[in-house]
Amino acid sequence: MSDKLISIKNISKSFDEIPVLEKLNLYIRENEFLTLLGPSGCGKTTLLRILGGFEEPDTGRILFEGKDITALAPNKRPLNTVFQKDTLFYHMSVADNIAFGLKIKGKSKTYIQDRVHYALHLVGLDGFGERFPDSLSGGQAQRIQIARAIVNEPKVLLLDEPLSALDLKLRQDMQYELIRLKEELGITFIYVTHDQEEALTMSDTIVVMNGGRIQQIGTPEDIYNEPQNAFVADFIGDGNIFDAIMIKDKLVRLLGAEFECVDTGFGEMNPVDVIIRPEDVEIVSPEQGTITGVVTSVIFKGVHYEMDILAHNYHWTAHSTKMAPEGETVGIRIDPFNIQVMNKPIREDQETLVNE
Amino acid sequence: MNRPFRKTSAGLEEPRGRKHPGAAWLAGPYLLWALAFTVIPLVLIFWFGFTNADNQFTWSNLTSIGDPDNLKALALALLLATAATILCLLLAYPIALILAGLKSGSSALIAMLFILPMWMNFLLRTIAWQNLLENNGVINTILKFFHLPAMTLINTPGAVILGMVYNFLPFMILPIYTVLSKIDREVVMAARDLGAGPWQTFARITLPLSKPGVISGITMVFVPSLTTFVITDLLGGGKIQLIGNTIEQEFVQGSSWHVGSGLSIVLMIFVIASMALIAKYDPDSSGAVIGGQR
């Protein structure tokens, strides 16, 4: 997990003079499950296409194991892509689809047969070889696309939102399938998605992108618990996001009240952003709370209740297994550890989504 | 080639599907049309084809194809129509490929350039070619101006093929262009991704996927070329006799409606046979692709 397999250096790309990627730098380690996560138009698919060789960057270089592959044609690259759309070859049987890459490389018939058999087994579709793509369901078609790619033994598999067309249940099943597949194959996966839950479930590393720039790189835990700016905080999970003032180290003022926190190094009396996750909003009796508010709505969500609490003119979202009835005055207390302080955005693409 | 649509709650929309009592009458005008202009003429052709002047049943009209002159006309028609179809295909495929690769705005403009001649009268266009190709026509006048030897262009098989290609080329371009522009760009990308070079991608993916367009293009060029008599009349000058001309003469010059009809039936059989031959090489239309049969 330590070697840099792919280095992306200073990649910029514009379409019709609209910048899509701006001086992007990133490296991908061997055997990593890396997810490019961001809203549509953030440049994640363009970056994947540059890696696959389908788009040429305006500036910058792509190094693969130290070699420059920026100008290499897609068919010469040691990586394969699983597309968002169903791109199976409809005039060929499933087995011929999977065998396509191997036939191009001129492998022997018995070898191809073995590999096709193995790939079908790996994606759990044994015996589907003789069928034709138009007899497959959406989930099966995506599995065959994956089989068609991995049969070539790529060092890296690029996946462009491969599950986005599937229904929720199937999508969740396929997420676990993909993790299993990656472990069995022992190769690098670069996965593109706008679905934060998908990213959190599957990834070793998440790269959050917005406006053609990387907002944060980290493990799913890092990204969720320690978002570096309001965009990341807002995009990943639910959250209460505040304009706040850092009074001094470990003390922050938001909505006129002072809260203890654990963050240091933000200076004194500096404007900052603060995020508090709904599950970290503790509902206590009014006397015990740092601030008090009134419950304005309660929704049962299965595992927890989602409550809207109006306190100091802000609608807090709180998740709790204990329910406070609508109209009740409650106190809000936050564990200092659960207050995440972030620098104010320097650029506008770090602004929160809600402000757009 | 159609993708399966998953049917959901199909039964719920029953009120929409219920037929209006008078709906069947809406098909009336079409039925009348088909009866008047398809069924009745066909019946008449078969009637004339299988009877002689005394209204008695006979095979002789059909067997008159065995007459050496008629046989020669049929063979020549098959030959010229095949040549014209192949030329059309060779010209149309690259054009369609370029058109499909262009952005939608410019492709519409260029497609228009190819369709525009179709807006002019077919006869007029062919007469224009007559003027170009004639012994004292435009081309030979230009050749003479440059002191080059004059060429015999008109009244040759080449002139007839040229007329067929010129008139029927759009019918080859359009179906191929339509099919090509429907091929998903990402399917082509996938082939490249799996290691195929540009030529391999064309040969293994684009070409096979465009086959339905090629087949309908071949049909739409071959059939009118095989049966034409106007192009041969104008550009063949009576020296090129195709089966279409023979049939025309049987009718127009009053020789025999019976023989003309008989030969028409024979020609129809040849058209149907050639369509069947094409279909045989098109596994998609056989409908046996799903169950694992190749």
Side-chain angles (χ1 to χ4, degrees):
Chain A
M1 281 280 289
S2 58
D3 290 342
K4 286 183 192 176
L5 186 65
I6 299 176
S7 298
I8 296 164
K9 296 200 163 168
N10 262 319
I11 291 288
S12 296
K13 176 78 183 170
S14 304
F15 288 116
D16 297 328
E17 295 181 16
I18 298 161
V20 179
L21 294 173
E22 294 193 60
K23 294 209 169 134
L24 198 125
N25 284 286
L26 179 67
Y27 64 85
I28 296 143
R29 287 176 302 213
E30 204 159 341
N31 205 8
E32 184 174 33
F33 198 129
L34 180 132
T35 299
L36 303 172
L37 174 67
S40 53
C42 75
K44 57 190 192 297
T45 296
T46 306
L47 181 59
L48 199 77
R49 293 205 165 168
I50 287 173
L51 284 172
F54 303 112
E55 298 283 359
E56 226 177 294
D58 298 336
T59 66
R61 292 186 306 149
I62 308 281
L63 302 183
F64 189 92
E65 291 178 329
K67 275 177 291 199
D68 192 334
I69 61 162
T70 320
L72 221 54
N75 48 320
K76 302 259 160 64
R77 298 192 180 204
L79 23 84
N80 286 112
T81 309
V82 176
F83 293 86
Q84 178 178 9
K85 277 195 243 168
D86 172 2
T87 62
L88 292 178
F89 307 133
Y90 268 62
H91 59 296
M92 295 180 190
S93 70
V94 165
D96 285 340
N97 263 278
I98 298 172
F100 186 82
L102 299 174
K103 279 185 185 164
I104 295 278
K105 290 185 191 80
K107 303 281 186 192
S108 78
K109 252 199 173 128
T110 49
Y111 175 83
I112 292 176
Q113 247 173 6
D114 277 4
R115 293 295 300 172
V116 169
H117 196 76
Y118 166 74
L120 279 171
H121 180 70
L122 212 55
V123 297
L125 291 176
D126 298 88
F128 273 64
E130 294 302 309
R131 295 185 48 174
F132 272 74
D134 49 9
S135 71
L136 301 177
S137 71
Q140 287 167 344
Q142 278 316 59
R143 282 163 198 253
I144 298 298
Q145 268 212 85
I146 292 166
R148 187 178 65 174
I150 60 178
V151 81
N152 300 294
E153 297 178 328
K155 290 193 173 160
V156 179
L157 191 64
L158 308 175
L159 301 109
D160 183 7
E161 308 206 30
L163 309 183
S164 63
L166 309 180
D167 62 56
L168 182 66
K169 185 76 185 71
L170 193 56
R171 202 156 66 218
Q172 287 166 343
D173 291 347
M174 285 291 286
Q175 288 172 12
Y176 295 113
E177 288 268 311
L178 282 172
I179 298 168
R180 177 188 62 82
L181 207 60
K182 194 203 149 281
E183 272 157 18
E184 268 191 67
L185 294 167
I187 60 171
T188 307
F189 275 33
I190 302 176
Y191 193 95
V192 160
T193 185
H194 63 267
D195 183 335
Q196 42 116 349
E197 196 196 304
E198 215 168 88
L200 293 172
T201 308
M202 296 193 290
S203 319
D204 299 318
T205 307
I206 296 178
V207 178
V208 183
M209 292 176 68
N210 190 35
R213 290 194 177 91
I214 293 174
Q215 304 295 329
Q216 187 171 355
I217 305 174
T219 63
E221 289 89 345
D222 286 344
I223 300 275
Y224 188 83
N225 293 327
E226 311 278 335
Q228 276 168 13
N229 60 46
F231 173 81
V232 177
D234 190 51
F235 193 73
I236 309 286
D238 299 318
N240 301 289
I241 296 172
F242 306 92
D243 284 324
I245 302 287
M246 198 74 186
I247 298 172
K248 57 179 189 185
D249 278 356
K250 300 190 180 184
L251 191 66
V252 66
R253 184 165 72 214
L254 56 96
L255 304 177
E258 288 178 9
F259 286 82
E260 278 180 47
C261 62
V262 293
D263 296 273
T264 56
F266 286 91
E268 291 192 3
M269 300 309 286
N270 254 345
V272 290
D273 281 324
V274 163
I275 172 156
I276 299 166
R277 297 286 180 197
E279 62 270 27
D280 296 332
V281 176
E282 283 178 63
I283 299 169
V284 293
S285 62
E287 311 82 66
Q288 287 175 303
T290 317
I291 57 173
T292 56
V294 179
V295 179
T296 57
S297 79
V298 180
I299 300 165
F300 179 60
K301 287 279 193 179
V303 180
H304 61 260
Y305 292 93
E306 182 175 297
M307 282 161 284
D308 186 282
I309 301 163
L310 183 63
H312 292 216
N313 267 331
Y314 182 92
H315 284 277
W316 294 66
T317 305
H319 291 172
S320 171
T321 50
K322 288 183 207 119
M323 195 260 284
E326 216 174 296
E328 187 165 292
T329 304
V330 294
I332 290 175
R333 207 173 68 87
I334 314 288
D335 188 310
F337 192 76
N338 288 330
I339 293 180
Q340 174 64 23
V341 180
M342 304 168 291
N343 279 314
K344 277 278 178 194
I346 314 157
R347 300 186 305 262
E348 62 179 296
D349 57 83
Q350 292 176 344
E351 277 295 331
T352 63
L353 283 175
V354 276
N355 289 353
E356 276 172 10
Chain B
M1 280 286 145
N2 283 334
R3 315 289 306 277
F5 285 99
R6 242 147 271 127
K7 289 166 194 87
T8 51
S9 63
L12 289 177
E13 292 192 47
E14 209 193 345
R16 267 197 188 185
R18 202 165 54 203
K19 280 182 192 129
H20 192 272
W25 290 106
L26 288 174
Y30 173 72
L31 276 178
L32 219 61
W33 175 276
L35 200 68
F37 297 108
T38 308
V39 179
I40 293 173
L42 259 177
V43 168
L44 284 176
I45 283 177
F46 274 86
W47 168 257
F48 279 111
F50 285 102
T51 56
N52 60 20
D54 304 323
N55 288 342
Q56 268 159 345
F57 177 83
T58 175
W59 287 102
S60 67
N61 298 323
L62 267 72
T63 50
S64 68
I65 191 69
D67 180 280
D69 281 347
N70 292 345
L71 216 52
K72 215 178 110 192
L74 178 66
L76 192 60
L78 283 167
L79 186 73
L80 295 193
T82 306
T85 307
I86 291 169
L87 276 172
C88 274
L89 185 60
L90 291 178
L91 285 170
Y93 205 99
I95 294 168
L97 209 56
I98 292 165
L99 281 176
L102 292 173
K103 282 183 188 162
S104 53
S106 40
S107 81
L109 185 79
I110 295 174
M112 179 70 88
L113 285 178
F114 285 101
I115 298 166
L116 209 60
M118 290 171 74
W119 293 5
M120 272 178 291
N121 183 284
F122 168 78
L123 217 55
L124 220 60
R125 276 180 285 153
T126 311
I127 290 169
W129 270 111
Q130 199 179 22
N131 282 315
L132 283 168
L133 300 176
E134 261 170 355
N135 289 338
N136 297 316
V138 177
I139 292 175
N140 274 324
T141 309
I142 293 170
L143 286 175
K144 213 180 281 172
F145 180 80
F146 288 108
H147 300 287
L148 291 165
M151 292 195 289
T152 311
L153 299 166
I154 197 94
N155 305 345
T156 60
V160 176
I161 292 175
L162 176 79
M164 290 172 175
V165 171
Y166 178 77
N167 279 309
F168 303 135
L169 186 63
F171 297 111
M172 186 68 92
I173 294 174
L174 285 178
I176 297 176
Y177 164 66
T178 308
V179 171
L180 283 178
S181 59
K182 273 191 202 144
I183 295 176
D184 206 323
R185 211 173 79 90
E186 297 199 351
V187 171
V188 176
M189 274 163 66
R192 300 278 278 130
D193 184 77
L194 292 165
W199 281 106
Q200 281 169 314
T201 305
F202 175 75
R204 287 168 187 252
I205 305 299
T206 313
L207 193 60
L209 284 178
S210 67
K211 209 159 63 181
V214 171
I215 283 165
S216 69
I218 288 174
T219 312
M220 286 167 78
V221 172
F222 184 74
V223 173
S225 299
L226 185 65
T227 54
T228 188
F229 56 88
V230 175
I231 294 173
T232 11
D233 273 352
L234 292 173
L235 301 178
K239 292 199 174 143
I240 313 282
Q241 177 84 3
L242 301 187
I243 189 73
N245 302 84
T246 309
I247 294 170
E248 182 215 6
Q249 285 148 16
E250 292 291 346
F251 278 96
V252 178
Q253 296 171 4
S255 309
S256 166
W257 281 34
H258 298 279
V259 175
S261 298
L263 291 176
S264 288
I265 292 167
V266 173
L267 191 55
M268 263 160 69
I269 292 166
F270 268 89
V271 169
I272 292 166
S274 51
M275 291 304 98
L277 203 69
I278 290 167
K280 202 187 138 195
Y281 288 102
D282 174 25
D284 292 331
S285 66
S286 66
V289 286
I290 290 168
Q293 283 167 272
R294 293 305 311 273

